[in-house]
Amino acid sequence: MTLSKRRKPSHSDTPPSSESSSENLPSDDANKAKAEKEQLAEKLKTETLKARAFYLKGRFLFPLGIIFGAFLAFAFIEPQDFHDLQLHVATLANQYDINLPQLPEFDLSRVEVEWARLRSTIPEVWKFNNDGREFQVGEAIKAQGLSAEYPTVLIPGIVSTALESWSTEPDYRPFFREKLWGGFNMISQVTFNKEKWIAAMMLDPETGLDPPGSKIRAAEGIDAASSLIQGYWIWSKIIENLAVVNYDTNNLYLAPYDWRVSYYNLEERDGYFSKLKSTIEGFK
């Protein structure tokens, strides 16, 4: 038997891999393939945008938002306020140095009647006026023979307490005793005087207290955390129903505080916890 030596295949006998072959493609062909791929992706993106429903497009949503906002704003207007509407517009324009043409006097009595008729057709859940239903819980408790026995202290949650300015520095005098947090004045300042509003609300980054020239303190009284703005109540419904069962300022206390400040600084600057302790101990 004759033995023969098996020849080891050389590298030249192996077929070239796809990777090496792709590397050998001319650069022009690779660039062409890449360009075609990008064109296809752009075409798919364009077709997707065209296929979107019209009510999802900005040209529809933006006017819809304006109309809804205007309707919501008018929902806060009571019929008797129409007579003073022109005066309010003129006062606002003077405050922000807006020159408006002289408007003629209009008879708004008919508008008042029509607006009252329109409001009467709105479902009760969408009305912002009070009709007595907010006392139902308190009346049900009172019907069970329950009445106020122990004093009650309400401590608002964070960002619930209204904050007002007490600074007399020239830059902040327009804010004096104005609510910088809570109420429509806050919305007005954020819209038209944003930078000064932020400067007044900020704390000193090192001390955690008032920065130089600014002095913000928590509003006082039960109204300090009753509502954030008109129509957005916080504690007002609870206070109303507690009043039905004979709670008043003699046995009901709302303890507002500056929620921007740490607990330590709240005691150091305002003596908050000492005052709260004294108030609780002073209840009869």
Side-chain angles (χ1 to χ4, degrees), residues 263-276:
Y263 293 147
Y264 177 82
N265 285 333
L266 201 59
E267 174 64 23
E268 285 292 312
R269 191 192 70 178
D270 301 337
Y272 176 78
F273 297 104
S274 298
K275 293 178 182 177
L276 180 60

Side-chain angles (χ1 to χ4, degrees), residues 139-209:
E139 290 173 349
I141 296 175
K142 186 177 181 180
Q144 298 176 10
L146 301 178
S147 182
E149 182 176 359
Y150 300 105
T152 298
V153 176
L154 305 177
I155 301 179
I158 189 171
V159 308
S160 298
T161 301
L163 304 177
E164 58 186 23
S165 174
W166 280 85
S167 176
T168 57
E169 292 294 322
D171 289 342
Y172 300 108
R173 284 178 183 175
F175 298 154
F176 185 72
R177 293 303 313 279
E178 295 285 346
K179 287 185 178 180
L180 296 186
W181 183 265
F184 282 107
N185 182 69
M186 174 187 68
I187 300 176
S188 174
Q189 297 299 338
V190 171
T191 304
F192 299 105
N193 207 1
K194 182 179 179 181
E195 293 183 358
K196 281 195 175 181
W197 179 83
I198 293 176
M201 288 289 293
M202 288 181 62
L203 294 172
D204 189 289
E206 295 183 1
T207 64
L209 298 172

Side-chain angles (χ1 to χ4, degrees), residues 59 78 103 113 126-127 135 141 144 148 163 219 231 246 249:
R59 65 182 63 183
E78 295 289 342
L103 299 177
V113 173
W126 295 105
K127 288 185 178 179
F135 298 101
I141 296 175
Q144 298 176 10
L163 304 177
N246 295 326
T249 54

